Amino acid sequence: MLRAFSTAATGMAAQQTMVDVIANNLANVNTTGFKRNHVDFKDLFYTHLSAAGREEAAGYVAPSGLEIGNGVRVDSTPKVHLQGGFLNTGRELDVAIQGTGFLQVTMPTGELRYTRDGSLYQDANGQLVTAAGYPMDPAISIPTDAVKIDIGSDGTVSIIGADGTNSVVGNMQLARFPNPSGLTSMGDNLLMETEASGTAEVGTPGDNGYGTLQPGFLEKSNVQMVTELVNLITAQRAYEMNSKAIRVGDDMLRTANEIVR
Amino acid sequence: MPSITPLLRTNTELLQHELDTITHNLANANTAGFKSRGNNFVAALQSYEFDADLGDSTAAETLMLTQQTDFSQGKLVHTGRTLDLAVSGPGFFTIETPQGPLYTRNGLFHMDANGQLVNSSGHTVSGLAGPITLPPTVDLEHIEITPNGTIKSGPQALGRIQMSTFPDNENLLAAAGTSEFSAPAGLIPLPAGDNVTVHQGYQEASNVNTVKELVDMMSVARLYEANMNFIKAKKEASSALMQVAMS
């Protein structure tokens, strides 16, 4: 059978993946701290029918080879860790990270997860938790009699108590990775450390290489609607062209079949 | 009795190869840094058939499928990622693999867990002074890569990416898959000159010209049909001859 069929099929499958990724990006256009995924395609291996530079006749060297490619594959869908825009919420427990770094979240299993989503809450015991109820790491407890909470750009959490006194109750920290694209997305705005991302280095916000915290703001999704829609059109057209190649291949086989009737 | 010439069989086989190549190009219409494969068989076949019409039968012996990679510049598409690099001009990034160096125009790079600049398969990107390692304190968002490939964090230069060129010899490069090319033994790349520049935050789009591919695809389909019709006509002629002889 024609190789073109399977080649075009790889093209259609790859474009389909691209549409899937774009759809997920578009679905998360309003998700706090969301980082868009990028699709990277690579061509598949080649069938080398003859090599470039082979000697055709004494003294004559073929200027190019004959290689037939086998299509395309999706190589990776790395997250693009570009800064998203800021949304002013005015909520005292909302923080946006300006620059590099992730907030650390303790899961019920005790493992750490990482997030750019800084919409924090107090649970019934006054502990700072994410919207899903997972406590922050390092753990910070807000006394129940606090009348005002302040988060500084360096992560210092201070309160004004019922008696009007000012006190520091904890320090938020940020984690950074050698390769943030290597983090695994766990859903719920959470990312997990992997061998590819490298080990987290924890530091104070604002220190060398760490971003600062912006209280009263949330980081918006970094998905650009227009870019995604343009990519969507590109993917759709490429899909269509690949399906056309299958149809042409089919027509060719039909003409071949018509010889013997 | 007329026989179906081997040439027709070769034609149809080569046309199938041609369709395979076109399909491969179309499948890679969105692959960053992809270079389309040339399709000069249709043109060769058309001119051959023209020659054959004029009674030049020697062409049949020399007709073959030749192919070239089209290394022309693809469009640069803005992505904004600091480690997305596009090349303009006749240069390649050099990737170190266990099988030796490979050359690519796909500059979607990452830092690995050790802070080394790698491609998406985890292979090291060559620097002028060996692999490029970025210190852990460096802020990925604020890395600057200059047009000559120097990686800077603030005023401090951290290394320079090695760009390779193959002046006049690009067509000897063999496609190795994963958007990379390998050089045959003995072909040594030259360091790139000023005509090769690196653009940070961009990717080079595939240089497949989809309209041309679709038109070529139609030509292939029609030529294939024509060859098949010719075979059919020969078959009918020979069966007619048989009928006359047997009656």
Side-chain angles (χ1 to χ4, degrees):
Chain A
M1 267 302 158
L2 287 177
R3 194 196 316 260
F5 286 149
S6 53
T7 307
T10 66
M12 290 174 79
Q15 301 309 330
Q16 205 173 321
T17 311
M18 187 161 170
V19 172
D20 290 346
V21 172
I22 295 170
N24 185 52
N25 286 345
L26 284 174
N28 285 293
V29 74
N30 281 331
T31 305
T32 307
F34 181 80
K35 301 295 174 197
R36 69 182 214 90
N37 283 86
H38 172 81
V39 189
D40 188 30
F41 296 121
K42 291 278 169 79
D43 55 355
L44 277 175
F45 60 91
Y46 287 74
T47 310
H48 294 264
L49 298 180
S50 65
R54 71 194 177 281
E55 207 159 309
E56 284 287 329
Y60 289 91
V61 168
S64 65
L66 176 51
E67 305 154 330
I68 298 200
N70 287 287
V72 65
R73 71 185 165 87
V74 180
D75 183 65
S76 55
T77 56
K79 277 211 175 292
V80 178
H81 285 278
L82 284 177
Q83 180 81 55
F86 292 109
L87 178 72
N88 187 352
T89 62
R91 242 187 103 236
E92 57 187 5
L93 285 180
D94 280 345
V95 286
I97 303 164
Q98 185 176 21
T100 311
F102 296 90
L103 296 170
Q104 305 174 89
V105 178
T106 313
M107 302 303 285
T109 54
E111 285 177 73
L112 288 182
R113 296 284 185 270
Y114 303 89
T115 184
R116 296 277 296 185
D117 175 3
S119 47
L120 305 178
Y121 298 88
Q122 290 176 70
D123 69 3
N125 309 319
Q127 204 170 38
L128 274 192
V129 295
T130 65
Y134 302 132
M136 305 299 295
D137 180 86
I140 295 168
S141 261
I142 313 266
T144 43
D145 65 344
V147 288
K148 192 173 185 325
I149 309 167
D150 264 315
I151 300 175
S153 64
D154 63 349
T156 313
V157 183
S158 53
I159 58 152
I160 298 174
D163 52 1
T165 54
N166 218 328
S167 57
V168 173
V169 294
N171 287 291
M172 291 173 71
Q173 288 187 317
L174 291 178
R176 65 194 303 280
F177 294 90
N179 174 24
S181 301
L183 295 166
T184 303
S185 315
M186 306 301 291
D188 275 340
N189 290 354
L190 297 175
L191 299 165
M192 187 176 76
E193 181 181 313
T194 67
E195 214 166 277
S197 67
T199 332
E201 281 178 59
V202 181
T204 309
D207 268 10
N208 194 11
Y210 292 92
T212 54
L213 298 184
Q214 305 292 331
F217 286 85
L218 285 177
E219 184 181 3
K220 289 197 278 193
S221 164
N222 72 351
V223 173
Q224 303 278 343
M225 283 282 240
V226 177
T227 315
E228 300 299 330
L229 290 176
V230 167
N231 290 345
L232 195 61
I233 294 170
T234 318
Q236 190 203 349
R237 288 292 170 226
Y239 187 86
E240 219 173 306
M241 281 178 231
N242 281 291
S243 73
K244 210 144 270 172
I246 292 184
R247 196 184 314 157
V248 167
D250 189 33
D251 281 351
M252 280 167 60
L253 288 187
R254 189 172 40 79
T255 30
N257 274 331
E258 275 171 2
I259 292 179
V260 186
R261 258 201 304 211
Chain B
M1 198 170 105
S3 64
I4 295 170
T5 61
L7 172 68
L8 285 170
R9 217 169 47 216
T10 319
N11 281 354
T12 51
E13 257 168 42
L14 292 186
L15 282 168
Q16 288 187 5
H17 281 327
E18 179 91 355
L19 180 72
D20 292 342
T21 305
I22 294 172
T23 313
H24 179 65
N25 286 341
L26 285 177
N28 284 289
N30 279 340
T31 305
F34 180 78
K35 296 297 165 198
S36 70
R37 320 284 305 161
N39 312 297
N40 45 16
F41 175 63
V42 164
L45 185 63
Q46 278 164 339
S47 73
Y48 158 72
E49 290 191 336
F50 180 71
D51 290 347
D53 282 349
L54 298 177
D56 176 6
S57 60
T58 55
E61 311 308 320
T62 54
L63 183 69
M64 53 181 273
L65 180 56
T66 59
Q67 200 189 37
Q68 269 185 334
T69 306
D70 171 14
F71 281 102
S72 65
Q73 179 79 42
K75 281 193 285 283
L76 300 191
V77 180
H78 184 254
T79 62
R81 206 175 145 265
T82 47
L83 289 180
D84 277 352
L85 304 178
V87 187
S88 79
F92 296 87
F93 297 110
T94 315
I95 308 292
E96 299 298 338
T97 73
Q99 292 78 39
L102 291 176
Y103 305 94
T104 185
R105 302 271 295 187
N106 179 327
L108 188 122
F109 296 144
H110 303 274
M111 306 306 305
D112 71 1
N114 306 320
Q116 235 176 43
L117 190 65
V118 294
N119 73 355
S120 52
S121 319
H123 293 136
T124 314
V125 179
S126 292
L128 278 187
I132 298 164
T133 309
L134 303 192
T137 54
V138 94
D139 186 352
L140 274 186
E141 300 261 319
H142 294 107
I143 283 180
E144 189 203 343
I145 298 172
T146 65
N148 72 7
T150 307
I151 303 182
K152 286 166 121 178
S153 166
Q156 187 196 0
L158 301 168
R160 188 170 161 191
I161 297 170
Q162 184 187 343
M163 302 303 297
S164 306
T165 58
F166 299 89
D168 310 325
N169 285 321
E170 275 180 345
N171 53 0
L172 290 181
L173 294 176
T178 64
S179 301
E180 288 157 338
F181 295 91
S182 62
L187 184 61
I188 310 293
L190 300 177
D194 289 342
N195 56 345
V196 176
T197 51
V198 176
H199 299 271
Q200 187 181 23
Y202 286 84
Q203 274 196 338
E204 183 180 357
S206 165
N207 73 347
V208 172
N209 179 344
T210 47
V211 175
K212 177 186 168 291
E213 301 297 336
L214 288 175
V215 170
D216 283 352
M217 196 159 75
M218 289 304 143
S219 311
V220 168
R222 295 293 160 243
L223 278 171
Y224 192 85
E225 212 177 317
N227 277 286
M228 284 301 173
N229 283 339
F230 196 64
I231 294 176
K232 208 157 111 186
K234 288 226 167 184
K235 184 188 141 206
E236 277 158 13
S238 62
S239 61
L241 190 66
M242 290 288 274
Q243 261 175 15
V244 172
M246 303 300 265
S247 60

